[in-house]
Amino acid sequence: MQQSDIQILNERFRNSDPQTILTYFIEHLGSKIALSSSLGAEDQVLTHMVAGIHPETKIFTLDTGRLFPETYDLIDRTSKRYKINIQVYFPEAEKVQEMVNKHGINLFYDSIEHRKLCCGVRKLEPLKRAFAGLQAWICGLRAEQSVTRQQIGVVEWDEGNKLIKINPLAHWTEQQVWDYIKANKIPYNPLHDKGYPSIGCLPCTRAVMEGEDVRAGRWWWENPDTKECGLHKK
């Protein structure tokens, strides 16, 4: 896809609501599109929308092996609520074993390089398998989430995975997300009510203080400009 095509699509959907954006791409791409969900608030909103548009659309999540118990419970509750099968992708056991035996069980605290290695083994490799056969993926990024996401568009080209990347909630505020969740009684992770606005792996996620950035609880020992796992590189 050319950059000009991305610009045309962004112009087309600049003032469109998320349902309109999702409907267009799901209808045009069918089985070639999927929602990648981390079970966060934004992804729960998108799951609700996607299930209402076309419940057979592929929705998947990554089980890194280090998730919160509340996240596992939410996978089950969400699947039952919408009568869908959230596909779960796991890291390769041998690669996890090799990494841990070489660098330690909590290697991610030692350096940015080790943290990114862990994300690569536990997230990026399974993600590649989840993307097999797709032309586009949907995710819950919002521009106001962090300094690393301020310039995202509704439609982007994911060069690393050679896929169209769709961010239907790119211009939504956090208040809009929670208003939608409450209005539609969407299941969400109870950790959100305990000061966890962004939830990833248990060892790499903490609650945030009032007034802190919503991503402040993720990899809190790093600088803000390094705090991505690699899933959302352009």
Side-chain angles (χ1 to χ4, degrees):
M1 175 171 284
Q2 300 295 320
Q3 188 60 37
S4 58
D5 298 322
I6 297 293
Q7 292 174 347
I8 290 170
L9 287 168
N10 273 309
E11 182 62 29
R12 174 173 180 170
F13 295 113
R14 183 176 58 176
N15 298 314
S16 297
D17 59 73
Q19 291 93 333
T20 298
I21 298 165
L22 287 167
T23 299
Y24 172 84
F25 284 101
I26 289 171
E27 289 182 349
H28 280 73
L29 295 175
S31 63
K32 300 296 184 181
I33 190 172
L35 167 61
S36 172
S37 173
S38 65
L39 285 299
E42 291 83 3
D43 293 328
Q44 290 300 96
V45 166
L46 292 173
T47 295
H48 178 89
M49 292 178 179
V50 168
I53 294 167
H54 194 269
E56 285 74 38
T57 300
K58 178 178 178 178
I59 300 175
F60 71 86
T61 192
L62 307 176
D63 182 356
T64 64
R66 303 296 300 262
L67 302 180
F68 285 88
E70 291 87 345
T71 303
Y72 291 113
D73 178 64
L74 184 58
I75 294 172
D76 186 59
R77 288 194 290 127
T78 304
S79 297
K80 290 176 178 176
R81 160 73 185 273
Y82 297 106
K83 297 180 174 59
I84 58 176
N85 176 31
I86 297 177
Q87 298 182 37
V88 182
Y89 287 81
F90 299 87
E92 293 185 12
E94 289 187 1
K95 290 184 178 180
V96 174
Q97 179 174 285
E98 178 184 358
M99 174 182 69
V100 168
N101 286 335
K102 183 176 181 180
H103 299 291
I105 195 72
N106 288 335
L107 69 156
F108 32 81
Y109 295 136
D110 295 336
S111 67
I112 292 175
E113 290 72 24
H114 281 179
R115 197 271 295 169
K116 289 185 176 180
L117 171 65
C118 190
C119 287
V121 170
R122 295 183 183 272
K123 291 184 178 182
L124 300 186
E125 189 282 325
L127 186 70
K128 292 286 187 182
R129 284 186 272 118
F131 281 161
L134 298 181
Q135 293 180 5
W137 66 299
I138 305 161
C139 65
L141 296 188
R142 293 186 297 106
E144 72 168 18
Q145 285 172 326
S146 71
V147 295
T148 59
R149 298 180 177 180
Q150 291 175 354
Q151 303 303 318
I152 64 170
V154 171
V155 184
E156 299 180 309
W157 175 248
D158 180 354
E159 179 62 29
N161 295 297
K162 307 298 182 185
L163 294 172
I164 302 168
K165 182 177 177 182
I166 303 154
N167 307 308
L169 304 180
H171 305 306
W172 267 30
T173 64
E174 183 180 3
Q175 187 64 52
Q176 284 177 289
V177 170
W178 285 105
D179 286 347
Y180 191 89
I181 286 174
K182 292 174 182 177
N184 292 281
K185 297 181 171 59
I186 297 172
Y188 66 89
N189 197 318
L191 291 174
H192 288 309
D193 295 330
K194 300 177 181 180
Y196 290 79
S198 177
I199 303 167
C201 294
L202 190 156
C204 298
T205 306
R206 65 166 174 82
V208 302
M209 303 295 289
E210 185 176 351
E212 280 191 294
D213 183 88
V214 296
R215 297 276 292 177
R218 302 291 296 278
W219 309 300
W220 62 90
W221 60 92
E222 295 184 17
N223 295 322
D225 58 355
T226 67
K227 292 164 62 171
E228 291 286 358
C229 60
L231 268 65
H232 301 297
K233 287 183 178 180
K234 290 188 178 181

